[in-house]
Amino acid sequence: MKHSKAAHNLRVLSVIFIIFLFYLCFFQMERKEIGDVDIVRVLGIDKTDEGYHLTALYNDNSSGNDDSVVMKTVDGKGTTIYDAYQNLKRKNKRDVTIAHTSFYLLDSDAAANGLEGCLDFLSRDQTVKTNSSIFILLSTNTHDFLKKSVEDETFVQDTLTAITQKESDELRKVDNTLASVINHMDEDLHNLIIPYLVVEDENLYANGYAVFKNNKLFEYLDYETSQIIDLANGRLITCPICLSNGIGLELTSIKAQKGITRTADNKLLVNLTIDFDSDIKEVPYATEVFSSNTLSVINEMQNEYIRQYVAAIIEFSIEYGFDFLNINQIIADEHKDVWALIKDDPSAYADMISYQVQVSSEIANNYVITR
């Protein structure tokens, strides 16, 4: 009986030992494979007269220096993205993978030529990260930008990580992931906007939205207009603004509600209500900011600031057929008869849809160190 139990324990230990050996062999194999592949961190996409020019920024694992990060670029050209990617892989001395790529940069020409040509290959690759971020690079091609970042050792992948983190901190929902952009390309009712980046004095930062129509770059919006689009859709957590008289404010507790009602003549009235608190951040001249009179004036000025920007956004939307306030889906779901009349007729859309914007706010924090 004791002999049988000892034999059983020996068999169990043998099985565990064999499994452990398999695990060690597998781990070593995986480590070796990863070490033999250059993992692309940032992929730049430029449009040329001949096709596409891809530039991959990767960490050089073959440098042999464990104490420092060495970034390199490799580029490829082709008539399509897939063709250019294969050319890029052939030119690199080691295998290349985009399975862990976190950022895709498109230059203005690539974006203007159409997102389908840029992203179709990526949408069919089962290994790519669907939560990777997409940005449009303004005023320069991605190849020159990424090459210079390596020469200057600026580690652009870290900068892009910081930009993405700021997005997450400022917005309740981020829509420029690879999966989100690809999905919105296929939606007729969704307004496609992607953040664009500006290179200035060796700094890289987001400065607003690039607007797409029929999946092609249409226009770049300025920073303030882009902010108010997010505010009007209830996406912003906080929003700094500067009034015409120089007073600086930070808007907080932002709420935006949309509703659509039928008018007496069977048209639609879009009701947009925006409510927020604000903190006074700067008053660059002598004034009594604690008086109810002054606070009332500032309150009305900040409300008017929001109203004017929303009015400009509505005007732009109607003139060029955009849906920055995301109301088309509501109309299509709740007012199907009206949607059937206006969805393909811009003039009918402008005639049938009117807007009413209500802005209310309260100055919640007015603090100053005693002088």
Side-chain angles (χ1 to χ4, degrees):
M1 192 71 179
K2 290 182 180 180
H3 175 74
S4 175
K5 186 174 182 181
H8 174 73
N9 290 340
L10 182 61
R11 285 196 297 271
V12 171
L13 289 173
S14 298
V15 171
I16 293 174
F17 180 71
I18 291 171
I19 293 173
F20 181 69
L21 281 179
F22 272 121
Y23 171 78
L24 287 179
C25 292
F26 176 78
F27 179 79
Q28 182 64 25
M29 181 184 67
E30 286 292 299
R31 187 176 67 174
K32 182 178 179 182
E33 287 182 355
I34 291 175
D36 289 340
V37 176
D38 288 326
I39 300 173
V40 177
R41 301 301 181 185
V42 183
L43 185 67
I45 303 175
D46 297 317
K47 185 70 177 71
T48 65
D49 293 338
E50 295 77 25
Y52 290 93
H53 187 185
L54 300 187
T55 306
L57 178 71
Y58 65 90
N59 184 1
D60 184 15
N61 295 323
S62 66
S63 63
N65 190 346
D66 296 332
D67 297 327
S68 63
V69 177
V70 178
M71 303 303 297
K72 285 190 175 182
T73 61
V74 60
D75 63 289
K77 296 180 180 180
T79 55
T80 66
I81 297 294
Y82 179 70
D83 188 27
Y85 183 57
Q86 295 307 312
N87 179 250
L88 179 152
K89 292 176 70 175
R90 285 194 301 273
K91 290 166 65 174
N92 201 51
K93 65 181 180 180
R94 306 197 316 163
D95 197 10
V96 173
T97 178
I98 55 173
H100 300 279
T101 302
S102 296
F103 305 102
Y104 296 96
L105 301 181
L106 280 63
D107 79 337
S108 294
D109 290 339
N113 190 64
L115 292 176
E116 296 98 331
C118 297
L119 303 182
D120 184 75
F121 162 63
L122 298 175
S123 71
R124 299 175 190 277
D125 190 323
Q126 297 179 359
T127 68
V128 297
K129 292 170 57 178
T130 57
N131 63 341
S132 300
S133 297
I134 296 179
F135 295 100
I136 311 302
L137 192 61
L138 181 70
S139 301
T140 185
N141 64 66
T142 67
H143 174 73
D144 291 345
F145 170 69
L146 292 174
K147 290 280 285 186
K148 191 174 188 305
S149 75
V150 171
E151 294 168 3
D152 297 342
E153 297 183 348
T154 54
F155 299 102
V156 69
Q157 72 277 13
D158 293 340
T159 304
L160 290 170
T161 299
I163 290 172
T164 303
Q165 184 58 53
K166 283 179 68 176
E167 267 192 316
S168 300
D169 293 341
E170 294 170 357
L171 297 174
R172 292 187 172 93
K173 183 184 178 184
V174 175
D175 275 342
N176 65 312
T177 63
L178 178 62
S180 180
V181 171
I182 289 173
N183 288 335
H184 291 161
M185 283 169 54
D186 297 330
E187 294 179 8
D188 294 334
L189 300 180
H190 190 89
N191 195 75
L192 184 56
I193 53 179
I194 299 176
Y196 68 89
L197 305 178
V198 172
V199 182
E200 184 180 286
D201 298 329
E202 300 184 358
N203 293 319
L204 180 69
Y205 59 94
N207 201 43
Y209 285 124
V211 181
F212 287 78
K213 190 170 187 177
N214 299 322
N215 295 329
K216 294 183 178 182
L217 176 64
F218 181 83
E219 183 67 272
Y220 287 107
L221 302 179
D222 62 47
Y223 180 74
E224 290 77 14
T225 301
S226 301
Q227 268 195 318
I228 302 304
I229 287 175
D230 283 331
L231 182 145
N233 285 291
R235 287 157 45 93
L236 268 185
I237 297 174
T238 62
C239 178
I241 65 172
C242 188
L243 304 179
S244 58
N245 62 356
I247 292 179
L249 301 156
E250 182 176 56
L251 312 188
T252 61
S253 304
I254 301 167
K255 298 176 184 175
Q257 293 182 323
K258 284 169 284 190
I260 300 178
T261 56
R262 294 259 185 170
T263 61
D265 53 358
N266 211 29
K267 296 182 180 181
L268 299 182
L269 175 65
V270 178
N271 298 286
L272 174 62
T273 303
I274 299 172
D275 181 70
F276 58 87
D277 294 338
S278 64
D279 300 342
I280 296 178
K281 293 297 185 180
E282 182 181 26
V283 182
Y285 52 84
T287 186
E288 180 48 68
V289 294
F290 292 99
S291 74
S292 57
N293 235 8
T294 302
L295 293 177
S296 178
V297 170
I298 296 174
N299 209 67
E300 179 53 34
M301 288 184 70
Q302 66 184 9
N303 291 351
E304 183 60 21
Y305 176 97
I306 301 299
R307 281 194 291 265
Q308 287 182 1
Y309 267 102
V310 172
I313 290 167
I314 292 172
E315 183 179 353
F316 187 93
S317 299
I318 294 173
E319 182 176 357
Y320 296 106
F322 288 101
D323 182 29
F324 291 125
L325 298 181
N326 294 319
I327 64 165
N328 284 351
Q329 187 66 63
I330 302 175
I331 298 174
D333 290 342
E334 300 179 3
H335 305 277
K336 292 181 173 60
D337 56 333
V338 175
W339 181 246
L341 295 173
I342 67 175
K343 64 178 181 177
D344 298 318
D345 188 345
S347 60
Y349 191 103
D351 179 60
M352 292 288 292
I353 310 296
S354 58
Y355 295 82
Q356 179 175 286
V357 180
Q358 296 179 318
V359 181
S360 59
S361 63
E362 182 177 343
I363 296 174
N365 192 3
N366 183 17
Y367 167 78
V368 64
I369 298 174
T370 305
R371 299 173 185 174

